[in-house]
Amino acid sequence: MNESSFPAWLAAQAADRADRGLTRRLVHSDSEPLLDLAGNDYLGLARDPRVVAGAVAAARSYGAGSGASRLVSGTLSIHTELEREMAAFTGFPAALAFSTGYHANLSVVQALAGADTLVVSDAHVHASMIDGCRLARAAVTVTPHNDVAAVARALAGRSQRRALVLIETIYSVLGDRAPIAELAEVVAAADAVLIADEAHALGVAGPGGRGLLAAHGLAGRPDVVATGTLSKSFGSQGGLVLGLPEVREHLVNRARPFIFDTGLAPAAAGAALAALGVLKVTPELADTVRGNAAILADAVGVTAPAGAVLSVPMPGPGEALAAVATAAGHGVRIGCFRPPSTPDGISRLRLTAHAHHTEENLTLAAKILRLVVAG
Ligand SMILES: Cc1ncc(COP(=O)(O)O)c(C=O)c1O
């Protein structure tokens, strides 16, 4: 093979990944029916008949696709209904729906930052926010994880007129929570804007699953913008930005991942609306998922998390992969994050709790987790 050819380059990349134990594979959950402690369907709503019926009804009424960008002809009344309902539920005055949570984060950073803006980003924010910084082409300062003093210093020392602070309220890799109240104070004092990703908090944390911004009385504060996903607790697909109506209007006009993207599929919007309906009539689902997370945390010897995500450090990627394989052999699917998906370079098991797991499921899960973590 010609060493400078495209196939040779691909083969060299694959060999390098294999050498470092970092080869990834696609996981087929429908053909491998295991007890799931890896997925993000925290409330078990993706297969809830009411949610599936919501998807079907929306597809029947509005069609399989929205057919165009929201600015061309792709805005449907199910989008505006979803936005109204999600804003009312979370306590924000307005919402805008996106085709994924990834697009929501890209959009909010790209459209709200500019040449006159410093973006202060926690070291552990999701890849979508990091990519949003790249799209925005703004100056970025990355601060150590959950370091409020470092955020305050970055804001105080800025030369730019405006500033955005990027956080997740519950972090996706470690499952820990941000010091939200302290950060909100620092942001207000520096005349900045807090952009908080609630992807892992909506549905599992805060009053009735309304998220941690609602829990801190920050939902609707003019200098707070939230993002979220419909693909985790809401069992569907899509993303959200929550904030002032002026923020919504600005994104509609300036967010490239919104403007140049087809509107959210009607079935996804219908499913998310139905899931929200389920959550409103069964608010205890949020407590249940956190209770189940505490049981799993006890089994692996870590502190109970703020949401559904648990993180167990492993000696290396090989040990993490071996634990995943052993658990699968015993009928339990767990996930593992390896570099470059871990912000601190540490390989870890990543476990997720679910509200619909039975006592029997939890007993099996705890037994297998003890086994694989003990090595
Ligand atoms: C913290 C966080 N933000 C955003 C996303 C992106 O959401 P989506 O899967 O809807 O694109 C994810 C996960 O996938 C996430 O974990």
Side-chain angles (χ1 to χ4, degrees):
M1 200 185 325
N2 172 355
E3 274 186 17
S4 61
S5 69
F6 180 47
W9 179 80
L10 289 172
Q13 292 285 310
D16 178 55
R17 285 193 295 274
D19 278 353
R20 292 189 291 138
L22 298 178
T23 303
R24 285 160 162 75
R25 71 178 184 96
L26 300 173
V27 177
H28 293 255
S29 63
D30 54 345
S31 54
E32 296 169 28
L34 305 176
L35 176 65
D36 185 54
L37 300 180
N40 300 319
D41 178 20
Y42 297 137
L43 307 183
L45 295 180
R47 286 178 176 269
D48 185 296
R50 294 163 291 183
V51 176
V52 174
V56 171
R60 288 224 165 88
S61 298
Y62 297 96
S66 67
S69 146
R70 293 279 301 272
L71 294 182
V72 175
S73 60
T75 296
L76 304 167
S77 39
I78 197 153
H79 294 137
T80 43
E81 184 187 349
L82 175 68
E83 290 166 352
R84 211 176 37 246
E85 292 291 323
M86 285 291 180
F89 178 71
T90 53
F92 281 87
L96 187 63
F98 293 77
S99 57
T100 68
Y102 195 98
H103 283 72
N105 276 343
L106 283 183
S107 292
V108 83
V109 184
Q110 175 260 312
L112 297 180
D116 63 344
T117 314
L118 174 69
V119 180
V120 180
S121 178
D122 185 281
H124 287 198
V125 295
H126 191 256
S128 49
M129 280 199 169
I130 297 170
D131 293 350
C133 293
R134 292 174 182 155
L135 262 189
R137 300 199 203 133
V140 180
T141 297
V142 177
T143 47
H145 182 50
N146 278 346
D147 188 338
V148 181
V151 173
R153 274 196 304 277
L155 291 174
R158 74 185 193 257
S159 56
Q160 295 83 354
R161 196 169 54 86
R162 301 176 53 242
L164 305 179
V165 174
L166 311 185
I167 64 161
E168 290 175 34
T169 55
I170 293 179
Y171 281 89
S172 57
V173 177
L174 300 191
D176 57 337
R177 62 190 279 170
I180 300 168
E182 295 86 335
L183 285 167
E185 254 179 53
V186 161
V187 161
D191 203 13
V193 174
L194 182 67
I195 302 196
D197 182 344
E198 291 247 74
H200 295 277
L202 290 179
V204 301
R210 284 170 173 75
L212 286 178
L213 295 173
H216 286 83
L218 292 168
R221 205 171 92 170
D223 59 351
V224 174
V225 176
T227 63
T229 177
L230 306 176
S231 69
K232 302 189 192 303
S233 291
F234 297 108
S236 178
Q237 185 111 31
L240 288 174
V241 172
L242 301 146
L244 293 179
E246 292 84 347
V247 169
R248 182 180 190 275
E249 170 72 10
H250 184 81
L251 295 178
V252 165
N253 283 276
R254 294 297 303 280
R256 292 170 62 82
F258 178 82
I259 296 169
F260 297 102
D261 187 38
T262 296
L264 179 64
L273 266 169
L276 178 60
V278 174
L279 183 55
K280 282 201 251 181
V281 296
T282 33
E284 65 275 14
L285 283 173
D287 296 335
T288 307
V289 75
R290 292 199 315 279
N292 290 351
I295 293 171
L296 301 181
D298 184 53
V300 292
V302 300
T303 12
V309 178
L310 285 124
S311 164
V312 185
M314 297 297 280
E319 288 83 353
L321 277 182
V324 170
T326 307
H330 287 87
V332 175
R333 177 179 299 108
I334 59 177
C336 75
F337 278 5
R338 292 166 288 158
S341 308
T342 54
D344 52 6
I346 295 175
S347 294
R348 41 179 41 94
L349 302 182
R350 183 180 182 272
L351 314 171
T352 53
H354 301 266
H356 58 295
H357 282 164
T358 61
E359 232 177 282
E360 196 188 330
N361 291 153
L362 289 165
T363 306
L364 170 69
K367 182 173 144 207
I368 302 309
L369 288 176
R370 274 192 206 101
L371 177 81
V372 300
V373 168

